[in-house]
Amino acid sequence: MLTSSLRIPVSQTCNNPLATSFRFCNSRCRETILRFSTFCSSACVCTELLAPSEAEQKWVSIRKKKVVMRVGYLGSEYRGLQIQRGEHALSTIEGELEKAILKAGGIRESNYGDLNKIGWARSSRTDKGVHSLATMISMKMEIPDFAWNNDPNGFDLASHVNAFLPQNIKVFSILPSQSSFDPRKECTIRKYSYLLPADIIGIRDTFTASEVDHHLSVFNDILTSFEGEHPFHNYTVRSKYRRPPRRGFTGRGSASDRIVSSNAQSESESEEGDGIQDSSNEQNLGFPPRARWLHEPDERDRIGASHFRKIFQCQCGSLMQLSGLNYVEISICGESFMLHQIRKMMGTAIAVKRGLLPHDILQLSLLKFSRIVLPLAPSEVLFLIGNNFAVRKRPGNLRPEMVTLVESEEILKMVDDFYQSVILPQLGKFLDPLRFPWNEWVDILDENTAIPEHQLEQVRSAWRQWKDEFPSRKTDRFVRV
């Protein structure tokens, strides 16, 4: 199994304790140390993308070859990683990458606008505003004659593509890949970091060391509740990970339950922005309850195996400082994550630490029969820092190209430089609790997150009753609704 290791030197101009070691252990891999301090919509417009000077820089292809590239980006100005087609397509990382590779000569004009034609695949996707230092993308690329000549790290191809990319996106390396490689299926562990202003969780600048340690200990106790394998259906848009209902199914639950289920689904599918629903006059406006128990099966709100995720580590480190601002870094490591999952985990943990939600909401929200509305934390301070890769059907076998991408000192040095010069300065802007995105988000969180006690008590009571009536199900997490 491969583990990316990123080391970033401490800057002389700021106290940056991001250069730390994260150690985690799980049943699938030996103890691992992660170190860090850290891409037009149709082919008919391709010729318009190339200026005369750019056409001169376009390489001449001699063959088509599957490759894998390691990409880093600052996501603040983009709608996310995955490309969006259509008349009103918004700027995405993959959109910028596709244009740049076309201009460099890596994509034929006849294939531009359809990533399926070139076998495009990614190790993971990131939400709007999320950053990355370790996204792996594979594709069938048009290859020039100079590819990898005295260049085992694939820097020459990467530099040609980078010439057409904005400064906030960078291809670190492009290497030849085996035809069977699938970056999503072979990425076994994904590691993210979330930087949180210390003031948001009640740690003041005037606190003594013992007071700081106490608050960090309480917060870590909250975070570790996410570790293990659980259904995280309340932490995502459930419908995106649900099989469509059987044809002709009318539902077995009561009419009122089905209406509530439908409303709750619509609410999840429309969540954007701060992700916190306004609770004022919600009863009068007919909003569904914030917390409820699904007493009877509802085919339109089914929880399946795809809602279960395994989290190996969710912990925060010691108090750190950047540009004079105190913050904590939360390390989240898991097999895979769903849309908004990490941000809802962070929003819920913050709400519990601020006393807006009870501590047992962590357990209640991870029960497959519960349906609970949870807050969505800002995306601006979340970034992907590393991956593990393994050939699933051949345990112990490592792909040479992935060994190079995650372990090469030269590539890691480029990643360090990109982090220091592009990502870190931007992250520093988001660590002031009195400025965007925290100022308005905290106000909304404090005002609208609380769940009525009678709704929580109904969930608690239903959970106790379910355990008493079905004791054999207590350890069976995969009984479907």
Side-chain angles (χ1 to χ4, degrees), residues 105-154:
I107 299 177
R108 291 183 181 181
E109 293 185 3
S110 59
N111 290 334
Y112 180 77
D114 188 349
L115 296 181
N116 292 325
K117 289 184 178 181
I118 56 176
W120 190 281
R122 61 194 75 79
S123 58
S124 57
R125 290 179 291 184
T126 53
D127 293 354
K128 173 185 176 182
V130 179
H131 325 293
S132 175
L133 295 170
T135 297
M136 307 294 182
I137 295 175
S138 66
M139 63 170 291
K140 297 175 184 178
M141 181 178 283
E142 302 295 331
I143 301 299
D145 57 0
F146 63 81
W148 308 298
N149 290 339
N150 299 316
D151 181 27
N153 289 316

Side-chain angles (χ1 to χ4, degrees), residues 335-352:
E335 279 187 335
S336 60
F337 297 92
M338 294 181 286
L339 177 67
H340 298 333
Q341 180 182 337
I342 295 178
R343 293 170 58 194
K344 284 209 164 192
M345 289 166 60
M346 297 301 100
T348 303
I350 294 170
V352 173

Side-chain angles (χ1 to χ4, degrees), residues 253-261:
S254 66
S256 60
D257 280 346
R258 292 196 297 272
I259 292 173
V260 168
S261 174

Side-chain angles (χ1 to χ4, degrees), residues 275-316:
I276 305 171
Q277 175 183 313
D278 188 351
S279 64
S280 58
N281 299 319
E282 63 176 11
Q283 297 299 326
N284 295 332
L285 295 176
F287 281 105
R290 290 172 170 267
R292 63 188 178 91
W293 185 265
L294 197 62
H295 292 277
E296 298 182 21
D298 186 339
E299 188 71 13
R300 292 177 297 179
D301 199 6
R302 175 183 290 273
I303 301 305
S306 59
H307 293 94
F308 284 75
R309 300 296 158 120
K310 183 179 292 185
I311 305 300
F312 299 122
Q313 180 193 49
C314 186
Q315 299 176 11
C316 73

Side-chain angles (χ1 to χ4, degrees), residues 127 194 226 232-238 267-268 271 274-276 338-351 357 362 372-378 382 441:
D127 293 354
Y194 195 89
F226 295 117
F232 282 91
H233 56 288
N234 287 315
Y235 293 81
T236 187
V237 181
R238 289 194 294 275
E267 176 187 46
S268 295
E271 63 183 359
D274 54 41
I276 305 171
M338 294 181 286
L339 177 67
H340 298 333
Q341 180 182 337
I342 295 178
R343 293 170 58 194
K344 284 209 164 192
M345 289 166 60
M346 297 301 100
T348 303
I350 294 170
L357 293 174
L362 301 166
I372 300 177
V373 178
L374 299 171
L376 181 70
L382 175 62
W441 184 84

